[in-house]
Amino acid sequence: MKPLKQKKSITLDPDLAADIQLLADYDDRSLSSYINLLLRKHAESKEDLLVVLRKQQKTLEKD
């Protein structure tokens, strides 16, 4: 069973929304699936920063 996903609402510039829709269509994906893919790749490219930020977040949650 796939993990549940969170629904989020985002606002995009019209030109960007149109371009992303074209790319999603070309890749035969839904817009939501394509945006998820893009965001995942971006987050993975920032993994070192995310490790630091997660540690900071845990520290703050303990206080």
Side-chain angles (χ1 to χ4, degrees):
M1 177 186 257
K2 286 185 174 182
L4 297 176
K5 295 189 178 197
Q6 292 185 359
K7 289 189 177 210
K8 298 290 181 180
S9 176
I10 62 171
T11 304
L12 302 173
D13 294 334
D15 58 332
L16 178 61
D19 287 348
I20 296 300
Q21 185 65 63
L22 284 172
L23 291 167
D25 291 345
Y26 178 79
D27 209 32
D28 198 27
R29 296 179 183 269
S30 68
L31 180 62
S32 179
S33 174
Y34 194 77
I35 290 173
N36 195 65
L37 178 71
L38 293 177
L39 290 173
R40 182 170 302 281
K41 285 182 179 181
H42 179 72
E44 287 171 355
S45 76
K46 302 290 185 180
E47 186 59 34
D48 292 344
L49 175 58
L50 284 170
V51 168
V52 171
L53 294 173
R54 288 180 190 129
K55 285 180 183 177
Q56 287 177 355
Q57 186 178 33
K58 285 181 184 179
T59 302
L60 292 175
E61 289 172 355
K62 287 180 184 179
D63 293 341

